[in-house]
């Protein structure tokens, strides 16, 4: 499924192209059942459709479930720089406002969870896997501290892209220590200072964007 999904996202199969299940079965050396299930899942994600006498075909990009976790992953595989740019724009709209709301709405348990995530981040040192896990925990806790159900649901979108971004950046030999900037966000939230929370989050995102763009693969043309 990952291979076919990536091919569609990358443009190897273009909208309107017909996918031949038998040819895919032979090329990928898998059973008909596997191909059938793969196309069913891709259909549920909006990437392919099926019509009598036409068969299975690639749907227009407007029909794709672009926020689906797998589709986000395939977008990253196809064009990491473009996805990270779009992710940065989404985070810029959501997370500073979320930090301000968290500063107003947070309770002691929220602060404790953010503090634990920050401590985990500090203890991770230069271990990219551990740093990524702690970073995800912190940003998940930030949205939870808003106590806004719709913002909390946004965590699934941010986490997929954030995980991809962290894995890319932290795979390099040098990257900025993430603890100090996250600590400034936490301090503002703990002290119930919405404006400072916004500024701290914007500074954090600016640094994240610089690292993302310098680490990402070139955009496809």
């Amino acid at each position: 499924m990952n291979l076919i999904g990536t091919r569609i996202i990358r443009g190897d199969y273009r909208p309107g192209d017909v996918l031949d299940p038998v040819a895919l079965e032979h090329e990928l050396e898998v059973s008909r059942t596997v191909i059938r299930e793969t196309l069913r899942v891709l259909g549920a994600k909006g990437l392919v459709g099926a019509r009598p006498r036409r068969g299975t075909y690639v749907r227009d990009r407007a029909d794709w479930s672009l926020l689906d976790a797998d589709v986000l992953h395939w977008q990253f595989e196809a064009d990491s720089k473009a996805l990270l740019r779009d992710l940065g724009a989404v985070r810029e709209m959501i997370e500073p406002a979320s930090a301000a709301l968290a500063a107003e709405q947070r309770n002691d348990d929220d602060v404790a969870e953010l503090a634990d995530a920050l401590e985990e981040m500090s203890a991770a040192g230069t271990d990219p896997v551990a740093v990524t896990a702690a970073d995800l925990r912190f940003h998940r806790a930030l949205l939870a501290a808003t106590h806004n159900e719709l913002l909390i649901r946004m965590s699934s979108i941010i986490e997929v892209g954030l995980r991809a971004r962290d894995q890319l950046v932290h795979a390099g030999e040098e990257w900025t220590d993430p603890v100090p900037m996250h600590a400034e966000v936490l301090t503002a939230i703990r002290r119930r200072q919405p404006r400072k929370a916004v500024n701290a989050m914007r500074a954090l995102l600016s640094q994240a964007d610089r690292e993302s763009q310098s680490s990402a693969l070139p955009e496809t043309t």
Side-chain angles (χ1 to χ4, degrees):
M1 181 178 72
N2 288 332
L3 177 60
I4 299 176
T6 300
R7 286 178 176 178
I8 293 173
I9 298 295
R10 193 168 54 209
D12 296 349
Y13 303 139
R14 303 187 67 80
D17 285 354
V18 174
L19 302 181
D20 184 346
V22 176
L24 289 171
E25 182 182 330
H26 289 299
E27 178 196 354
L28 303 179
E29 298 182 341
V30 295
S31 69
R32 183 171 301 179
T33 300
V34 170
I35 294 297
R36 186 183 299 117
E37 177 62 16
T38 293
L39 295 178
R40 184 193 67 78
V41 174
L42 293 176
K45 298 177 185 296
L47 271 65
V48 301
R51 290 178 182 170
R53 293 189 297 276
R54 183 179 181 184
T56 300
Y57 64 94
V58 178
R59 299 179 66 179
D60 291 336
R61 185 179 179 89
D63 297 324
W64 299 352
S65 299
L66 293 176
L67 299 182
D68 176 88
D70 288 327
V71 177
L72 280 168
H73 174 73
W74 297 331
Q75 289 180 78
F76 180 80
E77 291 293 321
D79 193 346
S80 63
K81 195 163 189 175
L83 177 60
L84 290 171
R85 181 192 62 227
D86 290 348
L87 171 66
V90 171
R91 294 184 68 194
E92 182 64 34
M93 288 185 284
I94 294 174
E95 292 198 87
S98 296
L101 186 57
E104 296 172 348
Q105 301 296 329
R106 64 80 172 167
N107 57 38
D108 291 344
D109 288 341
D110 296 322
V111 172
E113 176 62 15
L114 285 163
D116 286 348
L118 187 64
E119 184 176 342
E120 182 181 315
M121 193 181 299
S122 180
T126 58
D127 181 343
V129 175
V131 171
T132 297
D135 195 19
L136 290 170
R137 181 182 177 185
F138 185 94
H139 289 272
R140 189 185 306 120
L142 172 70
L143 292 179
T146 67
H147 295 273
N148 181 299
E149 290 186 349
L150 296 181
L151 284 174
I152 292 171
R153 294 296 178 90
M154 294 296 292
S155 65
S156 61
I157 300 170
I158 290 177
E159 282 188 29
V160 171
L162 185 57
R163 183 185 299 278
R165 177 263 173 202
D166 280 0
Q167 290 174 344
L168 182 69
V169 170
H170 296 152
E173 294 182 359
E174 296 184 7
W175 33 276
T176 304
D177 181 3
V179 173
M181 285 189 169
H182 284 80
E184 290 185 15
V185 174
L186 171 57
T187 296
I189 291 174
R190 177 185 280 123
R191 294 177 178 175
R192 299 190 185 278
Q193 298 173 320
R195 185 170 299 180
K196 288 188 176 181
V198 168
N199 292 336
M201 180 56 71
R202 284 178 175 163
L204 190 159
L205 293 178
S206 293
Q207 178 62 38
D209 183 62
R210 288 192 294 270
E211 291 179 337
S212 297
Q213 296 304 323
S214 64
S215 301
L217 299 174
E219 291 183 65
T220 57
T221 56

